[in-house]
Amino acid sequence: MSDESARLYEAAKALVTYIDNEQVFDKASDMGCGGVDTHQSETFYDLIAAARKAVSDFENKMKSK
């Protein structure tokens, strides 16, 4: 694996892990009682899922070599 590929893999894995562990959201709604409801938009969720799958597929490919 090239240094560039290794850096990209590590960065993508760290980002996905951070988003999962820190519960990162891209949307917020006023609940009407002074509270805020945070959530992930469908687009953001789909991007995270695609990145998670790409990292997993890459790891599996590297293990099989």
Side-chain angles (χ1 to χ4, degrees):
M1 173 179 0
S2 69
D3 289 342
E4 292 86 11
S5 296
R7 284 198 326 264
L8 179 59
Y9 161 72
E10 291 297 331
K13 184 174 181 173
L15 180 60
V16 169
T17 300
Y18 180 82
I19 289 170
D20 289 342
N21 291 340
E22 299 300 323
Q23 300 177 7
V24 177
F25 305 104
D26 67 328
K27 295 282 188 174
S29 302
D30 183 359
M31 294 175 60
C33 61
V36 176
D37 178 28
T38 55
H39 59 280
Q40 294 175 342
S41 66
E42 286 183 41
T43 301
F44 189 51
Y45 178 85
D46 291 344
L47 289 168
I48 296 165
R52 190 181 297 116
K53 181 172 180 351
V55 166
S56 177
D57 290 349
F58 186 82
E59 288 173 337
N60 291 334
K61 184 176 180 182
M62 289 295 108
K63 287 177 187 175
S64 68
K65 285 189 174 190

